Structures are given as structure tokens and as C-alpha cells.
Amino acid sequence: MRLRRIATSALGSVALVLASAGAVTLTAGPAAANPCGFYETASDAYYNHCTSDGSHIVIEIDDWGPNSERCVGPGVTWIGSSSGVDGAWYTGRTC
């Protein structure tokens, strides 16, 4: 009786761990593909304006030399080569 209870508990624990790992993997996939804000690939830099209201915002781009600004709409915008852009962020203004 005691052995059956231990085996059932162990199996339940293993099933829970595997189910949790699967859920984490599934949720991490789409978010990692196009994260909100600045992100870069091996060759390109992007800004993803995640919004549902259709707003256009001003972002500041940390590129070589003086920083520049750009108006971006909803979704992903290519902002340059990853070798020429160090980051980008929302300035708090719309355009």
C-alpha cells in the first residue's frame, strides 16, 4: 500500500514537471520571435511597437554619432543594421 502511494506521487510529480516544461516552451516561442521594443538579429535592428490602439510613437535610436529619432507605427519597424544601432526606446511622445 505504501509503495503504491509513493509510486503514484512520483508519477504525478513527473507528469506535472513535464507539463510545466511544455507550457513554458510553448509560451516562450512566439514572444521571443518579435518581442516588444528594441531587439536585434545577427544583422538587423528592429523596434516592435506593440499596441492595439493604432498609435504612432517617436523612438530615439542610439546609433553611432548623435542619436536620431523616428516615428514608428504599430508592429515591427526595421531601424538599421545591428552593427550600427546600439538600442532604441520610446521617448514618451506620439507623432
Side-chain angles (χ1 to χ4, degrees), residues 65-85:
N67 290 356
S68 59
E69 291 185 344
R70 181 182 289 177
C71 178
V72 297
V76 177
T77 302
W78 181 81
I79 57 174
S81 168
S82 60
S83 62
V85 176

Side-chain angles (χ1 to χ4, degrees), residues 53-77:
D53 66 4
S55 63
H56 287 64
I57 60 168
V58 177
I59 61 169
E60 185 172 341
I61 302 170
D62 183 5
D63 42 16
W64 299 106
N67 290 356
S68 59
E69 291 185 344
R70 181 182 289 177
C71 178
V72 297
V76 177
T77 302

